[in-house]
Amino acid sequence: MRRVHHYLLLIVCLLTDGFLLPEDFRMPVVGASRADYNQASFWYHPWGKSGVHKGVDIFAADNTPVQPAVSGIVIYTGKFKRGGNVVLVLGPKWRVHYYAHLSRIDTDAFSIVGEGDNLGRVGTTGNAAGKPPHLHYAIFSLLPYWWLSDDSPQGVRKMWYLDPVARLNEL
């Protein structure tokens, strides 16, 4: 029984620490501005095979550096069918930051990344092939934000996704 209490305390501490870490948000595409992404692209419907666009596309020249929007731990580098070359970073508040369509990946899994580190380069991999180079950037939470659900297409899934456009517009 004592061991169970220790594990519960550890879990509570980990969850709490994740929410207490500061989240210094930055533009992930070097040199990009509000003019480089569509204000209405988050949760845009209809959007290809995924139904809705769960992130934002930030357009830039091919091979423009991509840096982490927040400090965190790289939890995955590799390929996804739709995303092409992708990097996943676990940041503060138990949020995963998804960087897709990279022309190349410049980091390794389990690296700690922050301001000034390169994750990769803007590209056209995955389902971005044949389209202008861009970074698909999305933020999803490991803990549900149930109050974000609504009646829009796939609106119940909004509890897992945060609007990156709103965050970028704060910069």
Side-chain angles (χ1 to χ4, degrees), residues 113-160:
V113 294
E115 186 172 7
D117 292 329
N118 281 334
L119 299 177
R121 304 290 174 141
V122 169
T124 58
T125 60
N127 65 3
K131 298 174 184 161
H134 65 278
L135 170 72
H136 176 84
Y137 174 64
I139 307 167
F140 59 92
S141 175
L142 297 178
L143 304 172
Y145 291 78
W146 52 269
W147 56 92
L148 295 179
S149 292
D150 63 23
D151 292 332
S152 66
Q154 296 185 31
V156 72
R157 296 181 73 190
K158 277 188 176 179
M159 75 174 82
W160 302 104

Side-chain angles (χ1 to χ4, degrees), residues 80 82-83 86-89 96-100 136-140:
F80 288 167
R82 291 185 191 152
V86 302
V87 173
L88 297 174
V89 174
V96 176
H97 298 256
Y98 175 77
Y99 306 84
H136 176 84
Y137 174 64
I139 307 167
F140 59 92

Side-chain angles (χ1 to χ4, degrees), residues 3-76:
R3 179 174 278 170
V4 171
H5 287 113
H6 288 284
Y7 286 126
L8 287 174
L9 182 61
L10 176 64
I11 290 169
V12 168
C13 287
L14 286 173
L15 286 173
T16 303
D17 287 350
F19 283 106
L20 296 177
L21 293 172
E23 188 178 46
D24 297 328
F25 194 80
R26 299 172 291 278
M27 171 61 75
V29 176
V30 172
S33 69
R34 284 177 86 155
D36 298 312
Y37 57 90
N38 184 326
Q39 296 291 311
S41 64
F42 177 69
W43 225 261
Y44 184 84
H45 178 265
W47 195 272
K49 291 183 180 181
S50 63
V52 297
H53 195 239
K54 297 172 186 77
V56 62
D57 293 338
I58 305 170
F59 294 88
D62 199 29
N63 290 310
T64 300
V66 173
Q67 298 181 342
V70 298
S71 298
I73 299 169
V74 177
I75 57 173
Y76 179 81

